[in-house]
Amino acid sequence: MTDHIRPQPGIMDIALYEGGAAHVAGVTDAVKLSSNENPFGPSDKAREAFQRAVHKLHRYPNTDHASLRRAIGETHGLDPSRIICGVGSDEIIHFLCQAYAGPKDEVVFTEHGFLMYRISAMAAGATPVAVKERDRTTDVDAILAACNRRTKLVFIANPNNPTGTMIGLPEIERLASGLPKQAILVLDGAYAEYVEGYDGGAALATERANVFMTRTFSKIYGLGGLRIGWGYGPQAIIDVLNRIRGPFNLSTAQLEAAEAAVRDRDHVERCREENTRLRAWLAEALAEKGVPSDTSTANFVLARFASEAEAGACDEFLQTQGLIVRRVAGYGLPHCLRITIGDEASCRRVAHAIGQFKGQK
């Protein structure tokens, strides 16, 4: 970089996003529990759709995503014209910041919220504002107190990553009603499918002009490797976002695999049921070993240790056992380890290993 060629102000202040580790040196069969992936993978129907797409690789994909938007709309009871698709929900978050926030504007999120909120805000030249949580749970009063005439976007992950906690509909409604008139409430529903009967904020995004919802195919649908997400909200916001969306941002393989996945409701239900069962088992098993966690509503538990040193030592021990979990110091939780809910064998293995670690102290 020369003195004359420089990026926009604030870009070099962005800390690079670090995903969950996937390998342990010297271990060939490590169990990855660091990225909140679905251990059961995508549905057979999604796999078949992806394989069929190989015959169309020489063709450009559809630019309007009409078939996928229609499938999402039919599955969730939403108007397809108010849906936008992107490269994971990350891209939708980036669109929102690019379109609605800039220099002298503020983007609000909770202190333990998804790291992409800060990154996307800073990439747009806006000021990120992290608000304190209450016992690792979104605090609506604190958010409202942080908002002002410069606030343009408020991001709430519900359930939240990496805490696994969530707030109820009355609190979300109170937040939406209390925001400044120029602000948009963005409900990040990446883990919404893991909560029985929860619409991720779809009803509010249908009714209110200041609420927008994002969702992903990377979690319960098991398509993290394809990077597909979507957003839903007021038509006026969708029209704005489509003006900056690349016309070919999703490939044919992505579109067709996602459509098959969203229509396979049986697979989603099976994954939800297994996750609920194993999540409760793992949380209880860890608690019995002296490692507490908040009640999680997602596909992971946030294991709390006595100190950052103990969390780090446990992580290192787990790696020697071929188990990869996620340190979350970057989320302001240095004394915690986030552990994805794997299959039953993985859950039992990580619980046993943590028990071994605690017994060695």
Side-chain angles (χ1 to χ4, degrees):
M1 189 179 301
T2 71
D3 291 338
H4 302 289
I5 301 175
R6 300 176 182 176
Q8 292 283 0
I11 297 296
M12 297 308 294
D13 295 326
I14 297 174
L16 293 177
Y17 181 89
E18 295 185 18
H23 306 284
V24 176
V27 178
T28 57
D29 61 342
V31 175
K32 184 185 177 189
L33 301 173
S34 58
S35 296
N36 300 341
E37 296 155 331
N38 184 344
F40 309 108
S43 77
D44 290 340
K45 294 177 181 178
R47 296 176 196 268
E48 292 165 3
F50 181 78
Q51 291 170 345
R52 288 194 301 270
V54 71
H55 302 293
K56 305 175 185 178
L57 296 183
H58 59 305
R59 304 294 187 191
Y60 278 102
N62 189 290
T63 62
D64 65 7
H65 310 154
S67 187
L68 175 56
R69 290 189 294 107
R70 184 167 54 252
I72 293 170
E74 291 173 359
T75 299
H76 295 285
L78 305 175
D79 179 356
S81 70
R82 294 174 60 174
I83 294 171
I84 184 173
C85 301
V87 183
S89 54
D90 297 5
E91 188 175 41
I92 309 299
I93 291 167
H94 194 75
F95 288 160
L96 287 161
C97 289
Q98 184 181 357
Y100 289 100
K104 299 184 180 179
D105 295 329
E106 293 182 353
V107 175
V108 175
F109 46 86
T110 64
E111 62 179 323
H112 305 312
F114 185 34
L115 293 178
M116 287 307 300
Y117 306 150
R118 175 182 295 275
I119 291 173
S120 294
M122 294 178 71
T127 300
V129 178
V131 177
K132 289 290 186 182
E133 297 178 5
R134 181 180 300 168
D135 297 325
R136 296 164 300 280
T137 302
T138 295
D139 185 337
V140 169
D141 290 322
I143 292 173
L144 291 175
C147 291
N148 54 53
R149 60 183 177 81
R150 295 182 296 276
T151 305
K152 293 298 179 68
L153 293 163
V154 175
F155 285 100
I156 298 297
N158 203 49
N160 187 46
N161 170 31
T163 63
T165 59
M166 68 181 295
I167 59 174
L169 181 60
E171 282 293 273
I172 298 173
E173 290 178 327
R174 185 165 71 86
L175 176 57
S177 297
L179 290 181
K181 61 183 180 180
Q182 80 284 350
I184 301 170
L185 173 61
V186 182
L187 299 173
D188 182 348
Y191 299 92
E193 285 87 358
Y194 288 104
V195 183
E196 182 70 36
Y198 177 51
D199 72 354
L204 281 180
T206 298
E207 300 163 2
R208 291 179 176 261
N210 69 335
V211 178
F212 194 89
M213 176 183 73
T214 64
R215 303 285 278 271
T216 186
F217 283 90
S218 296
K219 303 306 177 186
I220 205 167
Y221 292 104
L223 293 175
L226 286 186
R227 309 303 301 122
I228 312 150
W230 57 282
Y232 171 80
Q235 191 68 60
I237 295 177
I238 293 294
D239 291 344
V240 169
L241 301 187
N242 272 322
R243 293 174 185 274
I244 58 176
R245 176 181 66 83
F248 301 109
N249 62 325
L250 290 179
S251 69
T252 298
Q254 288 171 294
L255 292 167
E256 295 188 358
E259 180 178 347
V262 77
R263 292 188 182 281
D264 192 346
R265 303 310 298 164
D266 290 340
H267 180 74
V268 171
E269 185 61 30
R270 286 193 299 271
C271 291
R272 181 191 299 115
E273 289 176 353
E274 275 298 277
N275 180 80
T276 299
R277 179 178 71 87
L278 293 170
R279 182 181 63 203
W281 183 90
L282 181 59
E284 184 176 350
L286 295 181
E288 290 174 353
K289 303 175 194 313
V291 181
S293 61
D294 297 313
T295 299
S296 174
T297 52
N299 68 333
F300 56 84
V301 294
L302 185 68
R304 300 200 306 275
F305 294 83
S307 65
E308 179 178 2
E310 185 185 25
C314 184
D315 180 42
E316 291 176 2
F317 176 78
L318 292 177
Q319 290 183 47
T320 68
Q321 304 302 301
L323 294 162
I324 307 172
V325 298
R326 181 74 181 270
R327 295 195 193 192
V328 285
Y331 284 93
L333 295 161
H335 62 299
C336 298
L337 297 176
R338 192 190 68 192
I339 306 172
T340 301
I341 306 302
D343 58 17
E344 184 157 356
S346 299
C347 288
R348 291 186 178 278
R349 185 171 163 183
V350 75
H352 176 71
I354 291 176
Q356 287 183 305
F357 167 77
K358 295 290 285 187
Q360 290 176 4
K361 292 182 60 183

